[in-house]
Amino acid sequence: MGHESSCLVAKLSHYVTLTDADREKLATFEKTERSFAGGTEIHQGGDENRELYVVKRGWAFSYTDLPDGRRQIVKIHHPGDVIGFPDVALKHTTTTLRTVEDVCLCPFPKSALDLILREAPRLSALLLSIALRDQVVFIDVLRAMGRMSAREKIAYMLLDLIARLRITNPGMTDTFRLPMNQGQIADYLGLTNVYVSKTFIRLEQDGLIRRHDGYVQILAEEQMIALTDFQDRYAQMDTSWFPQA
Amino acid sequence: MGHESSCLVAKLSHYVTLTDADREKLATFEKTERSFAGGTEIHQGGDENRELYVVKRGWAFSYTDLPDGRRQIVKIHHPGDVIGFPDVALKHTTTTLRTVEDVCLCPFPKSALDLILREAPRLSALLLSIALRDQVVFIDVLRAMGRMSAREKIAYMLLDLIARLRITNPGMTDTFRLPMNQGQIADYLGLTNVYVSKTFIRLEQDGLIRRHDGYVQILAEEQMIALTDFQDRYAQMDTSWFPQA
DNA sequence: CGTGCCATTGATTATCCTCAAGAAGAGTGG
DNA sequence: CCACTCTTCTTGAGGATAATCAATGGCACG
């Protein structure tokens, strides 16, 4: 993940062949970069007129709170992800953005999208497709939240994370670093930190996973896929209907 | 809702002024129409190469099942909605579409989007915005599913439905028809039909709502908004960054 | 060597589910 | 017009999953 080629270009190239003109336009998204320490709040929900970010390094997440403090983490951001895309539709930010660890982000203004839409129909189609694919992913999460047990939810989350990480790290096998703590995992899955702990231990005892120093190893991926009816939405998209280059 | 102006045009016109060229392109979405009886399965999750639909009349919903039969309703469709938009990104349908009552739909092919993206940047921006706005809506639902009690979930659902219906029916006040049964509401909110019944009764006893012959009346909208921290995502969008006409 | 964060563990509680049965209403056929 | 069925909503009893509360130990960090 990159010196010359950015993680964004790497991620998008997974789906279509980008022309030099496309790469040039995308490069404007990563002109500037800013670093943040772990546990930093980068912007708050309700802020106005925000920028978008491309993640260059590190994990972050977006969350919303209920007035009484209950928290829901809504999206976990990895390198190559675009943060804040959904908020483009609205005048105000809907979620708060917080870093999990030390992070490097590339901010860019909404108006950069305008250029893409006017001049690059093929890239527009790709951006639209990613927005729509993300909707499908949200639908999958919704199903997990509404109808899965705690055990299934955690299995689902682990499968989802590893599927996403494999897109940009093709060498990855069955082990990945999980820098989030159990309170954050609980806020993502609609559980409590205590119950996440207990459920992780059961998953380990049942031989589905193993944990060591912040890493998770998936021992029985097939079994976990069956348990959660997991579908990988990241590996491929339908680009057949795109405008020609 | 429509003879000359379609519900789709009506819904989109709420956000931007459409040119005649725009209307003409959108009209291709509603060239043909098909009617379905209530309780019909229109297409199954996993089907290939599907069409999109504009809803002309009646309610429908999209759902996914887990292998053991647990069901999650993912989206409730009203007149003017485009059904199947998220699936454009993928080769196969992700959800099953079922009618709630007698329904009239206008099917159109994916490729119609291609035309828009190539020739109508402003309309492209609007479609992209709607896709992104729908993501925000999914995020709101996610928060409800993850962190709200049954009582709050139902209140949230009712507020969401009435906010959506108000877009196309500006005359609507505090009462609307809710043609879904309690099992379907349960499948939407991640509850059971029994508990939905009990919770509805409590809401009624507490004077928040009233029910009569399939209609729901919101008696204490302010209180319910406070209870659920409800945000109306439908009333306005940020169109300021759109390409000029 | 404190201090703070985090994971773990146990005891208790509550929300919501499961199972079961009954009532009200709509539609059907005789 | 009257059974009859079917669906939906309601009600109650009992149970399970996950929450809450509280305490402990490990580990990193200053």
Side-chain angles (χ1 to χ4, degrees):
Chain A
M1 235 151 327
H3 312 102
E4 310 160 84
S5 73
S6 73
C7 337
L8 178 60
V9 168
K11 193 159 269 191
L12 297 187
S13 298
H14 188 269
Y15 302 110
V16 294
T17 317
L18 297 173
T19 65
D20 287 345
D22 291 338
R23 286 165 189 274
E24 212 170 284
K25 289 198 180 61
L26 290 173
T28 65
F29 291 3
E30 296 179 73
K31 265 190 305 204
T32 57
E33 64 178 58
R34 290 180 60 192
S35 290
F36 300 90
T40 310
E41 214 121 283
I42 296 180
H43 64 73
Q44 306 253 342
D47 285 1
E48 203 160 349
N49 205 9
R50 239 183 12 71
E51 299 166 301
L52 296 160
Y53 302 94
V54 176
V55 183
K56 212 171 178 101
R57 188 169 38 75
W59 287 32
F61 59 81
S62 298
Y63 68 89
T64 51
D65 284 344
L66 283 164
D68 67 354
R70 283 174 287 179
R71 175 164 300 179
Q72 179 65 45
I73 293 179
V74 144
K75 187 89 195 172
I76 299 165
H77 308 289
H78 299 151
D81 287 349
V82 176
I83 298 178
F85 207 18
D87 291 336
V88 167
L90 303 170
K91 293 204 169 65
H92 300 269
T93 306
T94 59
T95 56
T96 301
L97 175 59
R98 170 186 280 263
T99 59
V100 173
E101 53 188 343
D102 291 357
V103 153
C104 178
L105 301 182
C106 304
F108 67 95
K110 260 190 199 189
S111 53
L113 294 176
D114 171 19
L115 181 73
I116 304 262
L117 285 165
R118 272 189 290 112
E119 299 184 2
R122 196 171 165 76
L123 210 47
S124 302
L126 181 57
L127 288 182
L128 178 61
S129 284
I130 287 180
L132 294 172
R133 194 271 318 273
D134 285 348
Q135 262 191 63
V136 174
V137 171
F138 274 120
I139 286 171
D140 289 343
V141 176
L142 209 58
R143 181 178 75 150
M145 300 287 288
R147 289 306 188 198
M148 285 186 191
S149 67
R151 179 190 174 78
E152 292 163 333
K153 283 182 184 178
I154 291 188
Y156 179 82
M157 179 186 184
L158 297 176
L159 291 173
D160 185 67
L161 287 173
I162 203 167
R164 288 176 62 192
L165 293 169
R166 277 176 181 147
I167 295 294
T168 39
N169 307 27
M172 225 178 45
T173 54
D174 63 349
T175 304
F176 66 100
R177 192 174 56 91
L178 179 55
M180 294 168 70
N181 67 38
Q182 295 183 348
Q184 292 165 341
I185 294 171
D187 285 338
Y188 182 64
L189 295 175
L191 300 168
T192 59
N193 56 350
V194 174
Y195 209 67
V196 167
S197 171
K198 288 174 177 167
T199 308
F200 256 122
I201 289 166
R202 271 204 303 144
L203 286 174
E204 216 162 6
Q205 284 170 345
D206 297 348
L208 294 178
I209 62 166
R210 189 180 298 156
R211 293 177 296 166
H212 39 87
D213 341 298
Y215 280 77
V216 175
Q217 182 178 9
I218 310 288
L219 295 176
E221 187 160 351
E222 283 310 317
Q223 199 180 332
M224 285 166 67
I225 289 172
L227 180 70
T228 58
D229 191 40
F230 178 78
Q231 308 268 352
D232 185 345
R233 308 293 187 189
Y234 306 101
Q236 53 182 337
M237 291 202 305
D238 181 12
T239 57
S240 63
W241 60 277
F242 281 20
Q244 288 310 304
Chain B
M1 235 152 325
H3 312 104
E4 309 161 84
S5 72
S6 73
C7 337
L8 178 61
V9 169
K11 193 158 270 189
L12 297 186
S13 298
H14 188 268
Y15 302 111
V16 295
T17 317
L18 298 173
T19 66
D20 287 345
D22 291 339
R23 286 164 188 273
E24 211 169 286
K25 288 197 181 62
L26 291 172
T28 65
F29 290 4
E30 297 179 71
K31 265 190 305 203
T32 57
E33 64 177 60
R34 288 181 60 192
S35 290
F36 300 90
T40 310
E41 214 121 282
I42 296 180
H43 63 72
Q44 307 254 340
D47 285 0
E48 203 161 348
N49 205 10
R50 239 184 13 69
E51 298 167 300
L52 297 158
Y53 302 93
V54 176
V55 183
K56 211 167 180 106
R57 187 170 38 77
W59 287 32
F61 59 81
S62 298
Y63 68 88
T64 51
D65 285 343
L66 283 163
D68 67 355
R70 283 174 286 181
R71 176 162 300 178
Q72 179 65 45
I73 292 179
V74 144
K75 187 90 196 173
I76 299 164
H77 308 289
H78 299 152
D81 288 349
V82 175
I83 297 178
F85 208 17
D87 291 336
V88 166
L90 303 170
K91 293 202 170 64
H92 299 271
T93 306
T94 59
T95 56
T96 302
L97 175 60
R98 171 186 278 264
T99 59
V100 173
E101 53 188 343
D102 291 357
V103 152
C104 178
L105 302 182
C106 303
F108 67 94
K110 259 190 197 188
S111 53
L113 294 176
D114 171 19
L115 181 74
I116 304 264
L117 285 165
R118 272 190 288 113
E119 300 185 1
R122 195 170 166 76
L123 210 46
S124 301
L126 181 57
L127 287 181
L128 178 60
S129 283
I130 286 180
L132 295 172
R133 194 270 319 273
D134 285 348
Q135 262 191 64
V136 173
V137 170
F138 274 120
I139 287 171
D140 288 343
V141 176
L142 210 57
R143 181 178 75 152
M145 300 287 289
R147 290 304 188 199
M148 284 186 190
S149 67
R151 179 190 174 77
E152 292 162 334
K153 283 182 184 178
I154 291 187
Y156 179 82
M157 179 186 184
L158 297 176
L159 291 174
D160 185 67
L161 287 174
I162 203 168
R164 289 176 61 193
L165 293 170
R166 278 178 181 145
I167 295 294
T168 38
N169 307 29
M172 224 176 49
T173 55
D174 63 350
T175 304
F176 66 99
R177 192 174 57 91
L178 179 55
M180 293 167 71
N181 67 40
Q182 295 182 349
Q184 292 164 342
I185 294 171
D187 285 337
Y188 181 65
L189 296 175
L191 300 168
T192 58
N193 56 350
V194 174
Y195 209 66
V196 167
S197 171
K198 288 175 177 165
T199 308
F200 256 122
I201 290 166
R202 271 204 304 144
L203 286 174
E204 216 163 7
Q205 284 169 346
D206 296 349
L208 294 178
I209 63 167
R210 189 180 299 155
R211 292 177 296 166
H212 39 86
D213 342 297
Y215 281 77
V216 175
Q217 182 178 9
I218 310 288
L219 295 176
E221 187 160 353
E222 283 310 317
Q223 198 180 332
M224 285 166 67
I225 288 172
L227 179 69
T228 59
D229 191 41
F230 178 78
Q231 308 268 352
D232 185 345
R233 308 293 188 190
Y234 306 100
Q236 53 182 338
M237 291 202 306
D238 181 13
T239 58
S240 62
W241 61 277
F242 281 20
Q244 288 309 307

